[in-house]
Amino acid sequence: MSELNNIALRILENGKGILAADESTGTMTKRLDAVKVPSTSENRLLFRETLFSSSSMMDYIGGVILYDETIKQKSSKKNSIPELISEMGSLPGIKVDTGAKVLANSPNEKITEGLDGLRERLKVYNKLGAKFTKWRGIYNISKEYPSKLSLQSNAHALARYSALVQECNMVPIVEPEVLMDGEHSAKECYEKTSEVIKKCFEELILHKIDLKGVILKPNMILAGNKSKNKISGEEVANLTLECLKNSVPQEVPGIAFLSGGQSEIEATENLNLINKLNNTSFIISYSFGRALQQSALKFWSQDINNVSGTQKVFNHRAKMNTLAAQGKWSKELEN
Ligand code: 5MM
């Protein structure tokens, strides 16, 4: 087994998932504003350290995606944040894209930037303890989108990123997110997501990526958030599995879904159904941001020094998602 394959499997072993705590300062400020906590670097660290020192790190969270600010911070016990995460039994990772900007010549679409100087930045992150990385490309759905230009350029960037990451002995998480925004049907989401994922792997293969050392982080197949034709959880699960079977090469060891704006329970319920019906060879788990942190953040904002109370809320959510990653979750367990 290669070292990269080993890391990917370790992150996702036994129903473990990934905590996406890689909100850029702008996004984190929006999250903190919403719960009326000032977005200072101390507060951002306090909330994150509260999660990273919870018992979930041992039991449910196989990896944590950090943001540049956090990977360079020190915990209250004066060890580095990657050291804290490793000591708790999880693996530290890092978001290495520098954000999505307007795609030239297709102003309604985005292209993710961050390739310039990436080889050097990766060496620094690796020295700081990162074992894996993340890059997110975003796509919107409408009749004409994603355009060929967006499909091609985002896949190309994801492949070049993956090659540099593997060269530096880390596992790339490849995140092509087809956004939930819009009136589109689940069928359209299925078709466009399949096209997006296929194009990504076409480029990854062209760039000679070791697919056994990659984790795919896709969206689930859902109707748009403004669609009148919502589908059942079983239909979400069946369409999502069908899409993965048709577009992801067998060598890829694991798939960790993003939550994409679903509520906490909805994301857990869909993940559970996907795993119950999983007829693929992939390990299927989670890499949630909002769907893992929402309740914990709300609770923490009432008293930012209540570490154990906040950890209890977070541990519950992480446990529910790990059960869902094993197809063992049920609604009753939520109470
Ligand atoms: C945590 O949010 C990440 C993006 O942050 P920026 O937009 O500030 O760069 C995002 O990539 C996240 O990792 C994934 O979308 C998963 O998060 P959700 O909330 O969709 O599960």
Side-chain angles (χ1 to χ4, degrees), residues 20-28 31 48 65 67 95 97-100 134-136 175 177 217 257-262 287-293:
D22 60 311
E23 298 86 354
S24 55
T25 303
T27 304
M28 197 56 190
R31 305 268 188 269
R48 286 165 165 160
I65 315 173
Y67 178 58
K95 183 236 297 286
D97 67 66
T98 55
K134 194 202 83 174
W135 179 291
R136 170 172 169 250
E175 181 181 12
E177 176 174 9
K217 174 166 173 167
F257 285 106
L258 58 94
S259 59
Q262 298 179 74
S287 173
F288 294 163
R290 287 162 287 181
L292 261 176
Q293 300 182 65

PDB file of all heavy atoms in Angstrom, residues 20-28 31 48 65 67 95 97-100 134-136 175 177 217 257-262 287-293, ligand 1:
ATOM      1  N   ALA A  20     -14.351  20.162   8.175  1.00  0.00           N
ATOM      2  CA  ALA A  20     -13.893  21.256   7.309  1.00  0.00           C
ATOM      3  C   ALA A  20     -13.963  22.553   8.106  1.00  0.00           C
ATOM      4  O   ALA A  20     -15.019  23.177   8.219  1.00  0.00           O
ATOM      5  CB  ALA A  20     -14.756  21.329   6.048  1.00  0.00           C
ATOM      6  N   ALA A  21     -12.816  22.902   8.695  1.00  0.00           N
ATOM      7  CA  ALA A  21     -12.742  24.133   9.498  1.00  0.00           C
ATOM      8  C   ALA A  21     -11.844  25.123   8.772  1.00  0.00           C
ATOM      9  O   ALA A  21     -11.074  25.855   9.391  1.00  0.00           O
ATOM     10  CB  ALA A  21     -12.187  23.802  10.881  1.00  0.00           C
ATOM     11  N   ASP A  22     -11.951  25.130   7.441  1.00  0.00           N
ATOM     12  CA  ASP A  22     -11.033  25.939   6.624  1.00  0.00           C
ATOM     13  C   ASP A  22     -11.677  27.219   6.128  1.00  0.00           C
ATOM     14  O   ASP A  22     -11.291  27.756   5.079  1.00  0.00           O
ATOM     15  CB  ASP A  22     -10.540  25.107   5.434  1.00  0.00           C
ATOM     16  CG  ASP A  22     -11.675  24.624   4.531  1.00  0.00           C
ATOM     17  OD1 ASP A  22     -12.663  24.077   5.059  1.00  0.00           O
ATOM     18  OD2 ASP A  22     -11.587  24.783   3.295  1.00  0.00           O
ATOM     19  N   GLU A  23     -12.675  27.718   6.856  1.00  0.00           N
ATOM     20  CA  GLU A  23     -13.302  28.977   6.442  1.00  0.00           C
ATOM     21  C   GLU A  23     -12.226  30.064   6.378  1.00  0.00           C
ATOM     22  O   GLU A  23     -11.463  30.242   7.327  1.00  0.00           O
ATOM     23  CB  GLU A  23     -14.376  29.428   7.431  1.00  0.00           C
ATOM     24  CG  GLU A  23     -15.555  28.483   7.595  1.00  0.00           C
ATOM     25  CD  GLU A  23     -15.310  27.395   8.638  1.00  0.00           C
ATOM     26  OE1 GLU A  23     -14.174  27.300   9.168  1.00  0.00           O
ATOM     27  OE2 GLU A  23     -16.254  26.640   8.914  1.00  0.00           O
ATOM     28  N   SER A  24     -12.198  30.789   5.256  1.00  0.00           N
ATOM     29  CA  SER A  24     -11.289  31.933   5.167  1.00  0.00           C
ATOM     30  C   SER A  24     -11.779  32.979   6.174  1.00  0.00           C
ATOM     31  O   SER A  24     -12.909  32.886   6.675  1.00  0.00           O
ATOM     32  CB  SER A  24     -11.306  32.486   3.746  1.00  0.00           C
ATOM     33  OG  SER A  24     -12.632  32.783   3.389  1.00  0.00           O
ATOM     34  N   THR A  25     -10.960  33.988   6.445  1.00  0.00           N
ATOM     35  CA  THR A  25     -11.351  34.961   7.467  1.00  0.00           C
ATOM     36  C   THR A  25     -12.682  35.642   7.100  1.00  0.00           C
ATOM     37  O   THR A  25     -13.531  35.857   7.959  1.00  0.00           O
ATOM     38  CB  THR A  25     -10.215  35.991   7.665  1.00  0.00           C
ATOM     39  OG1 THR A  25      -9.052  35.242   8.022  1.00  0.00           O
ATOM     40  CG2 THR A  25     -10.527  36.989   8.756  1.00  0.00           C
ATOM     41  N   GLY A  26     -12.875  35.911   5.802  1.00  0.00           N
ATOM     42  CA  GLY A  26     -14.131  36.539   5.371  1.00  0.00           C
ATOM     43  C   GLY A  26     -15.338  35.670   5.699  1.00  0.00           C
ATOM     44  O   GLY A  26     -16.332  36.150   6.268  1.00  0.00           O
ATOM     45  N   THR A  27     -15.256  34.388   5.379  1.00  0.00           N
ATOM     46  CA  THR A  27     -16.380  33.476   5.638  1.00  0.00           C
ATOM     47  C   THR A  27     -16.575  33.299   7.147  1.00  0.00           C
ATOM     48  O   THR A  27     -17.706  33.314   7.647  1.00  0.00           O
ATOM     49  CB  THR A  27     -16.121  32.097   4.984  1.00  0.00           C
ATOM     50  OG1 THR A  27     -15.890  32.302   3.599  1.00  0.00           O
ATOM     51  CG2 THR A  27     -17.288  31.155   5.171  1.00  0.00           C
ATOM     52  N   MET A  28     -15.477  33.152   7.882  1.00  0.00           N
ATOM     53  CA  MET A  28     -15.585  32.947   9.334  1.00  0.00           C
ATOM     54  C   MET A  28     -16.207  34.182   9.988  1.00  0.00           C
ATOM     55  O   MET A  28     -16.981  34.065  10.942  1.00  0.00           O
ATOM     56  CB  MET A  28     -14.194  32.648   9.913  1.00  0.00           C
ATOM     57  CG  MET A  28     -14.231  32.020  11.286  1.00  0.00           C
ATOM     58  SD  MET A  28     -15.223  30.495  11.312  1.00  0.00           S
ATOM     59  CE  MET A  28     -15.298  30.206  13.069  1.00  0.00           C
ATOM     60  N   ARG A  31     -19.861  33.931   9.636  1.00  0.00           N
ATOM     61  CA  ARG A  31     -20.409  32.946  10.586  1.00  0.00           C
ATOM     62  C   ARG A  31     -20.462  33.540  11.999  1.00  0.00           C
ATOM     63  O   ARG A  31     -21.433  33.348  12.724  1.00  0.00           O
ATOM     64  CB  ARG A  31     -19.545  31.679  10.622  1.00  0.00           C
ATOM     65  CG  ARG A  31     -19.312  31.022   9.282  1.00  0.00           C
ATOM     66  CD  ARG A  31     -20.338  29.945   8.963  1.00  0.00           C
ATOM     67  NE  ARG A  31     -19.958  29.237   7.766  1.00  0.00           N
ATOM     68  CZ  ARG A  31     -20.346  29.563   6.515  1.00  0.00           C
ATOM     69  NH1 ARG A  31     -21.162  30.573   6.308  1.00  0.00           N
ATOM     70  NH2 ARG A  31     -19.945  28.847   5.476  1.00  0.00           N
ATOM     71  N   ARG A  48     -12.245  27.248  17.405  1.00  0.00           N
ATOM     72  CA  ARG A  48     -11.647  26.100  16.712  1.00  0.00           C
ATOM     73  C   ARG A  48     -10.900  25.189  17.695  1.00  0.00           C
ATOM     74  O   ARG A  48     -11.012  23.970  17.616  1.00  0.00           O
ATOM     75  CB  ARG A  48     -10.748  26.597  15.584  1.00  0.00           C
ATOM     76  CG  ARG A  48     -11.593  27.119  14.414  1.00  0.00           C
ATOM     77  CD  ARG A  48     -10.829  27.930  13.427  1.00  0.00           C
ATOM     78  NE  ARG A  48     -11.579  28.105  12.176  1.00  0.00           N
ATOM     79  CZ  ARG A  48     -11.335  29.052  11.297  1.00  0.00           C
ATOM     80  NH1 ARG A  48     -10.356  29.927  11.501  1.00  0.00           N
ATOM     81  NH2 ARG A  48     -12.046  29.156  10.191  1.00  0.00           N
ATOM     82  N   ILE A  65      -9.521  19.988   8.149  1.00  0.00           N
ATOM     83  CA  ILE A  65      -8.971  20.918   7.153  1.00  0.00           C
ATOM     84  C   ILE A  65      -8.858  22.294   7.808  1.00  0.00           C
ATOM     85  O   ILE A  65      -9.856  22.840   8.310  1.00  0.00           O
ATOM     86  CB  ILE A  65      -9.859  21.038   5.895  1.00  0.00           C
ATOM     87  CG1 ILE A  65     -10.328  19.661   5.401  1.00  0.00           C
ATOM     88  CG2 ILE A  65      -9.103  21.779   4.788  1.00  0.00           C
ATOM     89  CD1 ILE A  65     -11.349  19.737   4.273  1.00  0.00           C
ATOM     90  N   TYR A  67      -7.320  26.436   7.878  1.00  0.00           N
ATOM     91  CA  TYR A  67      -7.069  27.608   7.041  1.00  0.00           C
ATOM     92  C   TYR A  67      -5.674  28.124   7.394  1.00  0.00           C
ATOM     93  O   TYR A  67      -5.178  27.876   8.513  1.00  0.00           O
ATOM     94  CB  TYR A  67      -8.160  28.657   7.319  1.00  0.00           C
ATOM     95  CG  TYR A  67      -7.977  29.939   6.553  1.00  0.00           C
ATOM     96  CD1 TYR A  67      -7.922  29.922   5.158  1.00  0.00           C
ATOM     97  CD2 TYR A  67      -7.859  31.164   7.213  1.00  0.00           C
ATOM     98  CE1 TYR A  67      -7.748  31.099   4.445  1.00  0.00           C
ATOM     99  CE2 TYR A  67      -7.695  32.339   6.503  1.00  0.00           C
ATOM    100  CZ  TYR A  67      -7.630  32.301   5.121  1.00  0.00           C
ATOM    101  OH  TYR A  67      -7.450  33.465   4.418  1.00  0.00           O
ATOM    102  N   LYS A  95      -6.303  23.903   3.581  1.00  0.00           N
ATOM    103  CA  LYS A  95      -6.867  24.414   2.325  1.00  0.00           C
ATOM    104  C   LYS A  95      -5.780  25.239   1.645  1.00  0.00           C
ATOM    105  O   LYS A  95      -5.195  26.138   2.268  1.00  0.00           O
ATOM    106  CB  LYS A  95      -8.070  25.318   2.648  1.00  0.00           C
ATOM    107  CG  LYS A  95      -8.786  25.855   1.411  1.00  0.00           C
ATOM    108  CD  LYS A  95      -8.897  27.350   1.346  1.00  0.00           C
ATOM    109  CE  LYS A  95      -9.686  28.016   2.425  1.00  0.00           C
ATOM    110  NZ  LYS A  95     -11.117  27.846   2.310  1.00  0.00           N
ATOM    111  N   ASP A  97      -6.084  26.463  -1.816  1.00  0.00           N
ATOM    112  CA  ASP A  97      -6.482  27.407  -2.865  1.00  0.00           C
ATOM    113  C   ASP A  97      -6.602  28.788  -2.235  1.00  0.00           C
ATOM    114  O   ASP A  97      -6.704  28.923  -1.010  1.00  0.00           O
ATOM    115  CB  ASP A  97      -7.778  26.958  -3.563  1.00  0.00           C
ATOM    116  CG  ASP A  97      -8.997  26.993  -2.655  1.00  0.00           C
ATOM    117  OD1 ASP A  97      -9.404  28.091  -2.229  1.00  0.00           O
ATOM    118  OD2 ASP A  97      -9.550  25.905  -2.371  1.00  0.00           O
ATOM    119  N   THR A  98      -6.557  29.802  -3.101  1.00  0.00           N
ATOM    120  CA  THR A  98      -6.652  31.162  -2.549  1.00  0.00           C
ATOM    121  C   THR A  98      -7.995  31.814  -2.896  1.00  0.00           C
ATOM    122  O   THR A  98      -8.145  33.023  -2.837  1.00  0.00           O
ATOM    123  CB  THR A  98      -5.469  32.040  -3.030  1.00  0.00           C
ATOM    124  OG1 THR A  98      -5.451  32.013  -4.472  1.00  0.00           O
ATOM    125  CG2 THR A  98      -4.147  31.537  -2.490  1.00  0.00           C
ATOM    126  N   GLY A  99      -8.949  30.968  -3.272  1.00  0.00           N
ATOM    127  CA  GLY A  99     -10.309  31.464  -3.459  1.00  0.00           C
ATOM    128  C   GLY A  99     -10.748  31.476  -4.910  1.00  0.00           C
ATOM    129  O   GLY A  99      -9.935  31.381  -5.831  1.00  0.00           O
ATOM    130  N   ALA A 100     -12.069  31.572  -5.094  1.00  0.00           N
ATOM    131  CA  ALA A 100     -12.641  31.554  -6.439  1.00  0.00           C
ATOM    132  C   ALA A 100     -12.876  32.991  -6.912  1.00  0.00           C
ATOM    133  O   ALA A 100     -13.462  33.805  -6.195  1.00  0.00           O
ATOM    134  CB  ALA A 100     -13.941  30.767  -6.432  1.00  0.00           C
ATOM    135  N   LYS A 134      -6.605  20.641   0.565  1.00  0.00           N
ATOM    136  CA  LYS A 134      -7.893  20.758  -0.122  1.00  0.00           C
ATOM    137  C   LYS A 134      -7.901  21.920  -1.100  1.00  0.00           C
ATOM    138  O   LYS A 134      -7.303  22.968  -0.835  1.00  0.00           O
ATOM    139  CB  LYS A 134      -9.011  20.965   0.899  1.00  0.00           C
ATOM    140  CG  LYS A 134     -10.374  20.747   0.288  1.00  0.00           C
ATOM    141  CD  LYS A 134     -11.477  21.425   1.064  1.00  0.00           C
ATOM    142  CE  LYS A 134     -11.582  22.868   0.664  1.00  0.00           C
ATOM    143  NZ  LYS A 134     -12.715  23.551   1.268  1.00  0.00           N
ATOM    144  N   TRP A 135      -8.586  21.735  -2.217  1.00  0.00           N
ATOM    145  CA  TRP A 135      -8.780  22.775  -3.247  1.00  0.00           C
ATOM    146  C   TRP A 135     -10.217  22.630  -3.723  1.00  0.00           C
ATOM    147  O   TRP A 135     -10.655  21.528  -4.072  1.00  0.00           O
ATOM    148  CB  TRP A 135      -7.795  22.551  -4.398  1.00  0.00           C
ATOM    149  CG  TRP A 135      -7.872  23.506  -5.548  1.00  0.00           C
ATOM    150  CD1 TRP A 135      -8.872  23.631  -6.474  1.00  0.00           C
ATOM    151  CD2 TRP A 135      -6.862  24.460  -5.928  1.00  0.00           C
ATOM    152  NE1 TRP A 135      -8.550  24.589  -7.399  1.00  0.00           N
ATOM    153  CE2 TRP A 135      -7.321  25.110  -7.091  1.00  0.00           C
ATOM    154  CE3 TRP A 135      -5.616  24.818  -5.410  1.00  0.00           C
ATOM    155  CZ2 TRP A 135      -6.571  26.110  -7.742  1.00  0.00           C
ATOM    156  CZ3 TRP A 135      -4.879  25.804  -6.060  1.00  0.00           C
ATOM    157  CH2 TRP A 135      -5.352  26.443  -7.207  1.00  0.00           C
ATOM    158  N   ARG A 136     -10.945  23.749  -3.744  1.00  0.00           N
ATOM    159  CA  ARG A 136     -12.369  23.678  -4.121  1.00  0.00           C
ATOM    160  C   ARG A 136     -12.633  24.480  -5.393  1.00  0.00           C
ATOM    161  O   ARG A 136     -12.294  25.673  -5.466  1.00  0.00           O
ATOM    162  CB  ARG A 136     -13.193  24.248  -2.960  1.00  0.00           C
ATOM    163  CG  ARG A 136     -14.659  24.486  -3.223  1.00  0.00           C
ATOM    164  CD  ARG A 136     -15.287  24.859  -1.887  1.00  0.00           C
ATOM    165  NE  ARG A 136     -16.634  25.355  -1.985  1.00  0.00           N
ATOM    166  CZ  ARG A 136     -16.962  26.626  -1.755  1.00  0.00           C
ATOM    167  NH1 ARG A 136     -16.045  27.513  -1.434  1.00  0.00           N
ATOM    168  NH2 ARG A 136     -18.221  26.998  -1.833  1.00  0.00           N
ATOM    169  N   GLU A 175     -12.124  18.863  -4.587  1.00  0.00           N
ATOM    170  CA  GLU A 175     -13.501  19.276  -4.284  1.00  0.00           C
ATOM    171  C   GLU A 175     -14.121  20.069  -5.435  1.00  0.00           C
ATOM    172  O   GLU A 175     -13.969  21.277  -5.525  1.00  0.00           O
ATOM    173  CB  GLU A 175     -13.532  20.126  -3.000  1.00  0.00           C
ATOM    174  CG  GLU A 175     -14.956  20.557  -2.629  1.00  0.00           C
ATOM    175  CD  GLU A 175     -15.045  21.423  -1.371  1.00  0.00           C
ATOM    176  OE1 GLU A 175     -14.004  21.892  -0.878  1.00  0.00           O
ATOM    177  OE2 GLU A 175     -16.176  21.636  -0.896  1.00  0.00           O
ATOM    178  N   GLU A 177     -17.374  21.484  -6.392  1.00  0.00           N
ATOM    179  CA  GLU A 177     -18.710  21.673  -5.790  1.00  0.00           C
ATOM    180  C   GLU A 177     -19.690  22.267  -6.797  1.00  0.00           C
ATOM    181  O   GLU A 177     -19.550  23.416  -7.215  1.00  0.00           O
ATOM    182  CB  GLU A 177     -18.639  22.595  -4.556  1.00  0.00           C
ATOM    183  CG  GLU A 177     -20.046  22.852  -3.998  1.00  0.00           C
ATOM    184  CD  GLU A 177     -20.105  23.630  -2.690  1.00  0.00           C
ATOM    185  OE1 GLU A 177     -19.061  24.157  -2.246  1.00  0.00           O
ATOM    186  OE2 GLU A 177     -21.215  23.724  -2.128  1.00  0.00           O
ATOM    187  N   LYS A 217     -14.202  15.055  -2.891  1.00  0.00           N
ATOM    188  CA  LYS A 217     -15.189  15.724  -2.019  1.00  0.00           C
ATOM    189  C   LYS A 217     -16.270  16.356  -2.901  1.00  0.00           C
ATOM    190  O   LYS A 217     -16.154  17.504  -3.314  1.00  0.00           O
ATOM    191  CB  LYS A 217     -14.468  16.777  -1.168  1.00  0.00           C
ATOM    192  CG  LYS A 217     -15.397  17.636  -0.321  1.00  0.00           C
ATOM    193  CD  LYS A 217     -14.646  18.411   0.746  1.00  0.00           C
ATOM    194  CE  LYS A 217     -15.566  19.382   1.466  1.00  0.00           C
ATOM    195  NZ  LYS A 217     -15.010  19.945   2.678  1.00  0.00           N
ATOM    196  N   PHE A 257     -18.358  13.635   1.364  1.00  0.00           N
ATOM    197  CA  PHE A 257     -19.266  14.668   0.863  1.00  0.00           C
ATOM    198  C   PHE A 257     -19.138  15.995   1.604  1.00  0.00           C
ATOM    199  O   PHE A 257     -18.898  16.030   2.817  1.00  0.00           O
ATOM    200  CB  PHE A 257     -20.724  14.208   1.005  1.00  0.00           C
ATOM    201  CG  PHE A 257     -21.094  13.178  -0.013  1.00  0.00           C
ATOM    202  CD1 PHE A 257     -21.246  11.856   0.362  1.00  0.00           C
ATOM    203  CD2 PHE A 257     -21.264  13.525  -1.341  1.00  0.00           C
ATOM    204  CE1 PHE A 257     -21.561  10.891  -0.584  1.00  0.00           C
ATOM    205  CE2 PHE A 257     -21.580  12.570  -2.293  1.00  0.00           C
ATOM    206  CZ  PHE A 257     -21.737  11.246  -1.904  1.00  0.00           C
ATOM    207  N   LEU A 258     -19.383  17.074   0.878  1.00  0.00           N
ATOM    208  CA  LEU A 258     -19.587  18.385   1.494  1.00  0.00           C
ATOM    209  C   LEU A 258     -21.071  18.485   1.831  1.00  0.00           C
ATOM    210  O   LEU A 258     -21.884  17.714   1.294  1.00  0.00           O
ATOM    211  CB  LEU A 258     -19.164  19.490   0.511  1.00  0.00           C
ATOM    212  CG  LEU A 258     -19.865  19.532  -0.850  1.00  0.00           C
ATOM    213  CD1 LEU A 258     -21.057  20.457  -0.872  1.00  0.00           C
ATOM    214  CD2 LEU A 258     -18.894  19.946  -1.925  1.00  0.00           C
ATOM    215  N   SER A 259     -21.441  19.388   2.728  1.00  0.00           N
ATOM    216  CA  SER A 259     -22.874  19.475   3.071  1.00  0.00           C
ATOM    217  C   SER A 259     -23.598  20.527   2.225  1.00  0.00           C
ATOM    218  O   SER A 259     -24.816  20.424   2.027  1.00  0.00           O
ATOM    219  CB  SER A 259     -23.075  19.719   4.563  1.00  0.00           C
ATOM    220  OG  SER A 259     -22.455  20.899   5.004  1.00  0.00           O
ATOM    221  N   GLY A 260     -22.894  21.542   1.771  1.00  0.00           N
ATOM    222  CA  GLY A 260     -23.422  22.451   0.748  1.00  0.00           C
ATOM    223  C   GLY A 260     -24.622  23.310   1.093  1.00  0.00           C
ATOM    224  O   GLY A 260     -25.299  23.776   0.180  1.00  0.00           O
ATOM    225  N   GLY A 261     -24.943  23.459   2.364  1.00  0.00           N
ATOM    226  CA  GLY A 261     -26.095  24.292   2.722  1.00  0.00           C
ATOM    227  C   GLY A 261     -27.297  23.471   3.191  1.00  0.00           C
ATOM    228  O   GLY A 261     -28.351  24.023   3.509  1.00  0.00           O
ATOM    229  N   GLN A 262     -27.133  22.145   3.240  1.00  0.00           N
ATOM    230  CA  GLN A 262     -28.207  21.314   3.816  1.00  0.00           C
ATOM    231  C   GLN A 262     -28.220  21.536   5.322  1.00  0.00           C
ATOM    232  O   GLN A 262     -27.199  21.901   5.917  1.00  0.00           O
ATOM    233  CB  GLN A 262     -27.932  19.832   3.581  1.00  0.00           C
ATOM    234  CG  GLN A 262     -27.867  19.410   2.135  1.00  0.00           C
ATOM    235  CD  GLN A 262     -27.555  17.912   2.012  1.00  0.00           C
ATOM    236  OE1 GLN A 262     -28.399  17.072   2.264  1.00  0.00           O
ATOM    237  NE2 GLN A 262     -26.353  17.586   1.627  1.00  0.00           N
ATOM    238  N   SER A 287     -17.200  15.327   4.818  1.00  0.00           N
ATOM    239  CA  SER A 287     -16.210  16.385   5.040  1.00  0.00           C
ATOM    240  C   SER A 287     -17.032  17.662   5.176  1.00  0.00           C
ATOM    241  O   SER A 287     -17.049  18.507   4.283  1.00  0.00           O
ATOM    242  CB  SER A 287     -15.246  16.468   3.857  1.00  0.00           C
ATOM    243  OG  SER A 287     -14.395  17.583   4.011  1.00  0.00           O
ATOM    244  N   PHE A 288     -17.763  17.738   6.284  1.00  0.00           N
ATOM    245  CA  PHE A 288     -18.730  18.823   6.445  1.00  0.00           C
ATOM    246  C   PHE A 288     -18.125  20.038   7.151  1.00  0.00           C
ATOM    247  O   PHE A 288     -17.295  19.899   8.052  1.00  0.00           O
ATOM    248  CB  PHE A 288     -19.925  18.352   7.282  1.00  0.00           C
ATOM    249  CG  PHE A 288     -20.793  17.288   6.642  1.00  0.00           C
ATOM    250  CD1 PHE A 288     -21.683  16.540   7.432  1.00  0.00           C
ATOM    251  CD2 PHE A 288     -20.763  17.038   5.274  1.00  0.00           C
ATOM    252  CE1 PHE A 288     -22.498  15.554   6.870  1.00  0.00           C
ATOM    253  CE2 PHE A 288     -21.569  16.059   4.701  1.00  0.00           C
ATOM    254  CZ  PHE A 288     -22.443  15.316   5.500  1.00  0.00           C
ATOM    255  N   GLY A 289     -18.576  21.207   6.724  1.00  0.00           N
ATOM    256  CA  GLY A 289     -18.239  22.445   7.428  1.00  0.00           C
ATOM    257  C   GLY A 289     -19.436  22.845   8.267  1.00  0.00           C
ATOM    258  O   GLY A 289     -19.536  22.539   9.458  1.00  0.00           O
ATOM    259  N   ARG A 290     -20.418  23.466   7.581  1.00  0.00           N
ATOM    260  CA  ARG A 290     -21.605  23.954   8.299  1.00  0.00           C
ATOM    261  C   ARG A 290     -22.372  22.842   9.011  1.00  0.00           C
ATOM    262  O   ARG A 290     -22.808  23.008  10.146  1.00  0.00           O
ATOM    263  CB  ARG A 290     -22.530  24.698   7.313  1.00  0.00           C
ATOM    264  CG  ARG A 290     -22.002  26.034   6.914  1.00  0.00           C
ATOM    265  CD  ARG A 290     -22.666  26.540   5.660  1.00  0.00           C
ATOM    266  NE  ARG A 290     -22.220  25.824   4.464  1.00  0.00           N
ATOM    267  CZ  ARG A 290     -22.621  26.084   3.229  1.00  0.00           C
ATOM    268  NH1 ARG A 290     -23.517  27.034   3.016  1.00  0.00           N
ATOM    269  NH2 ARG A 290     -22.150  25.425   2.200  1.00  0.00           N
ATOM    270  N   ALA A 291     -22.562  21.694   8.356  1.00  0.00           N
ATOM    271  CA  ALA A 291     -23.392  20.639   8.944  1.00  0.00           C
ATOM    272  C   ALA A 291     -22.732  19.954  10.145  1.00  0.00           C
ATOM    273  O   ALA A 291     -23.363  19.149  10.819  1.00  0.00           O
ATOM    274  CB  ALA A 291     -23.771  19.614   7.876  1.00  0.00           C
ATOM    275  N   LEU A 292     -21.456  20.284  10.420  1.00  0.00           N
ATOM    276  CA  LEU A 292     -20.814  19.741  11.629  1.00  0.00           C
ATOM    277  C   LEU A 292     -20.718  20.810  12.717  1.00  0.00           C
ATOM    278  O   LEU A 292     -20.641  20.496  13.902  1.00  0.00           O
ATOM    279  CB  LEU A 292     -19.395  19.274  11.304  1.00  0.00           C
ATOM    280  CG  LEU A 292     -19.108  17.813  11.056  1.00  0.00           C
ATOM    281  CD1 LEU A 292     -17.644  17.638  10.669  1.00  0.00           C
ATOM    282  CD2 LEU A 292     -19.421  16.936  12.264  1.00  0.00           C
ATOM    283  N   GLN A 293     -20.688  22.074  12.294  1.00  0.00           N
ATOM    284  CA  GLN A 293     -20.348  23.129  13.255  1.00  0.00           C
ATOM    285  C   GLN A 293     -21.510  24.018  13.698  1.00  0.00           C
ATOM    286  O   GLN A 293     -21.401  24.709  14.710  1.00  0.00           O
ATOM    287  CB  GLN A 293     -19.277  24.056  12.659  1.00  0.00           C
ATOM    288  CG  GLN A 293     -17.989  23.353  12.297  1.00  0.00           C
ATOM    289  CD  GLN A 293     -16.950  24.342  11.767  1.00  0.00           C
ATOM    290  OE1 GLN A 293     -16.492  25.216  12.483  1.00  0.00           O
ATOM    291  NE2 GLN A 293     -16.598  24.218  10.508  1.00  0.00           N
TER     292      GLN A 293
HETATM  293  C1  5MM B   1     -15.497  25.724   5.381  1.00  0.00           C
HETATM  294  O1  5MM B   1     -15.811  26.353   4.145  1.00  0.00           O
HETATM  295  C2  5MM B   1     -14.962  26.092   3.029  1.00  0.00           C
HETATM  296  C3  5MM B   1     -14.816  27.299   2.145  1.00  0.00           C
HETATM  297  O2  5MM B   1     -14.444  28.401   2.813  1.00  0.00           O
HETATM  298  P1  5MM B   1     -14.204  29.745   1.945  1.00  0.00           P
HETATM  299  O3  5MM B   1     -15.401  29.912   1.036  1.00  0.00           O
HETATM  300  O4  5MM B   1     -14.100  30.766   2.992  1.00  0.00           O
HETATM  301  O5  5MM B   1     -12.938  29.525   1.174  1.00  0.00           O
HETATM  302  C4  5MM B   1     -15.616  25.083   2.063  1.00  0.00           C
HETATM  303  O6  5MM B   1     -14.772  24.754   0.995  1.00  0.00           O
HETATM  304  C5  5MM B   1     -15.973  23.842   2.798  1.00  0.00           C
HETATM  305  O7  5MM B   1     -14.801  23.146   3.155  1.00  0.00           O
HETATM  306  C6  5MM B   1     -16.853  22.935   1.956  1.00  0.00           C
HETATM  307  O8  5MM B   1     -17.737  23.662   1.128  1.00  0.00           O
HETATM  308  C7  5MM B   1     -17.656  22.082   2.875  1.00  0.00           C
HETATM  309  O9  5MM B   1     -18.411  22.917   3.714  1.00  0.00           O
HETATM  310  P2  5MM B   1     -19.988  22.700   3.797  1.00  0.00           P
HETATM  311  O10 5MM B   1     -20.441  23.778   4.725  1.00  0.00           O
HETATM  312  O11 5MM B   1     -20.514  22.823   2.389  1.00  0.00           O
HETATM  313  O12 5MM B   1     -20.131  21.301   4.349  1.00  0.00           O
END
